[in-house]
Amino acid sequence: MTRDHEAAAPDAVVVGGGPAGLMAADALLSAGHRVLLAEAKPSVGRKFLMAGKSGLNLTRAQPFGDFLAAYGGAEPALRPMLKGFTPETVQAWAEGLGQTTFTGSTGRVFPTAMKASPLLRAWMARLDDMGLERRTRWRWTGWDGDALTFDTPEGTMQLAPRVSVLALGGASWARLGSDGEWAKTFQRAGVSVAPFEPANAGLLVDWSAHMQPHFGAPLKNVTFRAGELVSRGEAVISARGLEGGGLYPLSPALRQGAGLEIDLAPDLTAEALEERLARPRGKQSLSNHLRKVLKLSPATRALLMECARPLPSDPSALAHLLKALPVPHRGLRPLDEAISTAGGVPFAALDAGLMLKGRPGTFCAGEMIDWEAPTGGYLLTACLATGLWAGRHAAAFLSSGRGPAS
């Protein structure tokens, strides 16, 4: 049996130890406030560390208008936050923590160390030096009046800070802490939450046995299209379908049931393709002809055969097929297998400072807000930017003298 305990409340409580929560805590501490960080898992930054295992993509170096466009319909709401923490600011922030950065050929920005762990260690050392109080294995369970309630190893705890920042994550990678269970608590409290849906997720395709030798093979130098969305990049053929950074930006359209088309020769026009395909092939098979005149990889040729066999013999028809190969699919992979999620607290429920309109002094940040973005630095930048924005506005709320304890 657990007992209720009441802890002495700090000025501010940040719930969630991911990038958004840590940035909110940083902003509040920088403003001179006492901050307690509550994290449900045994340690902070678990999803952050996992994302950095193959190279931590901090942000994207590109013209700012193009950068903003990656956020789709959420761009107008996110714009002031991203202007306050631009890709250049992200790089300066990382270097201020002793982590030099470099920019790859596609504009992706990485720490020189590539991994997330050195950056997280330096960040936590900074926060600890500023006086951050940390509690792990504290799972937020809702509100009791003005108080936040937590399940902890010591029993049920309550805290009644003057402000709180909730950075509870989305609903993917539940084992790392983002299980979306908080949405039920919000709904019970009368706060609307848009349903969670997969974003940056692989695509389910039912392959024939002929594709098995190509599982794990990359599709390079192709362009993906779904609805009005277009993305040039790479994907990998997997046993369950397709996955990869080139495909992820199409998630909003694919989630709505749009078909997928792949341009297998994006650097050539249909007319140029037709000219090459019309060259005499003698006794060569069509597959060998495609390999020689177009330099299509074995995986690309296999995909073409899988989705369009029998191929048309007319060069013009075949050229147009190569420019828009339809790939039948069964939609995106399940929610918990997605890198991120759409859905969450709608911006309409928040004021300009990311404070819940129906609960003064309670701010939201990060993936728990209803926005989405492709991988490639966009996700992390917006998590950091919204965390900083919420933390600064929470600090301003404290300075205004408002709140339950004022």
Side-chain angles (χ1 to χ4, degrees):
M1 179 181 295
T2 61
R3 295 182 299 163
D4 285 346
H5 300 274
E6 182 115 18
D11 298 330
V13 170
V14 175
V15 185
L22 295 177
M23 188 58 83
D26 199 327
L28 282 156
L29 289 164
S30 296
H33 299 293
R34 292 180 297 116
V35 182
L36 183 145
L37 176 76
E39 165 58 44
K41 291 295 183 179
S43 58
V44 301
R46 292 195 162 200
K47 191 173 179 181
F48 181 68
L49 291 170
M50 179 63 75
K53 276 199 167 181
S54 59
L56 180 64
N57 189 184
L58 288 169
T59 191
R60 193 69 161 256
Q62 63 184 143
F64 194 58
D66 295 339
F67 183 81
L68 289 175
Y71 296 92
E75 183 269 330
L78 289 170
R79 186 186 307 159
M81 301 158 212
L82 294 166
K83 281 186 174 180
F85 203 68
T86 65
E88 292 78 14
T89 313
V90 174
Q91 294 176 69
W93 165 76
E95 292 178 2
L97 290 170
Q99 304 302 305
T100 58
T101 63
F102 72 94
T103 303
S105 58
T106 61
R108 296 180 183 222
V109 178
F110 301 88
T112 303
M114 290 299 288
K115 297 180 181 179
S117 50
L119 177 60
L120 183 61
R121 281 196 301 270
W123 197 5
M124 295 313 301
R126 165 186 159 83
L127 295 175
D128 290 342
D129 287 346
M130 294 169 73
L132 179 66
E133 188 176 353
R134 283 195 258 167
R135 296 288 183 272
T136 54
R137 296 186 174 90
W138 275 39
R139 185 176 184 86
W140 181 70
T141 55
W143 294 281
D144 183 358
D146 290 329
L148 302 164
T149 61
F150 298 89
D151 280 341
T152 81
E154 293 78 32
T156 301
M157 300 289 290
Q158 290 193 351
L159 293 171
R162 290 172 55 198
V163 299
S164 57
V165 179
L166 304 179
L168 298 165
S172 64
W173 293 12
R175 64 190 178 86
L176 301 177
S178 297
D179 58 16
E181 287 297 310
W182 58 266
K184 299 173 185 175
T185 303
F186 267 52
Q187 289 163 343
R188 286 194 295 268
V191 181
S192 65
V193 177
F196 291 115
E197 296 180 289
N200 293 303
L203 196 64
L204 291 166
V205 182
D206 293 324
W207 303 121
S208 72
H210 297 289
M211 289 297 289
Q212 187 170 352
H214 303 284
F215 292 167
L219 293 173
K220 297 185 177 183
N221 194 30
V222 297
T223 294
F224 300 93
R225 294 190 184 91
E228 296 182 357
L229 300 180
V230 179
S231 171
R232 181 162 179 169
E234 295 186 14
V236 173
I237 299 171
S238 72
R240 297 177 62 186
L242 292 168
E243 54 189 274
L247 193 65
Y248 295 154
L250 307 186
S251 291
L254 294 170
R255 198 167 54 234
Q256 299 303 316
L260 174 67
E261 291 183 346
I262 306 179
D263 183 345
L264 300 179
D267 293 324
L268 294 173
T269 64
E271 292 73 21
L273 281 173
E274 182 179 348
E275 182 182 340
R276 293 190 185 195
L277 292 168
R279 294 173 186 171
R281 61 184 174 101
K283 296 182 179 180
Q284 291 184 105
S285 68
L286 181 54
S287 179
N288 273 337
H289 187 56
L290 289 169
R291 176 179 62 82
K292 287 187 176 181
V293 300
L294 299 180
K295 295 183 170 52
L296 295 183
S297 69
T300 304
R301 298 199 307 274
L303 181 68
L304 178 63
M305 295 293 188
E306 174 76 8
C307 299
R309 192 169 37 195
L311 298 182
S313 56
D314 175 64
S316 177
L318 182 54
H320 282 87
L321 182 62
L322 288 162
K323 295 297 289 181
L325 176 69
V327 179
H329 65 83
R330 293 191 292 109
L332 297 177
R333 298 271 285 271
L335 189 65
D336 195 47
E337 296 179 24
I339 292 175
S340 61
T341 49
V345 181
F347 281 104
L350 303 166
D351 72 6
L354 297 182
M355 184 172 71
L356 283 170
K357 292 177 180 177
R359 188 169 282 272
T362 300
F363 297 77
C364 297
E367 284 193 67
M368 70 178 294
I369 303 172
D370 186 13
W371 59 272
E372 64 178 303
T375 57
Y378 304 108
L379 277 170
L380 182 54
T381 298
C383 284
L384 295 169
T386 57
L388 181 64
W389 189 266
R392 285 178 172 171
H393 281 81
F397 185 93
L398 283 170
S399 298
S400 73
R402 294 183 290 165
S406 62

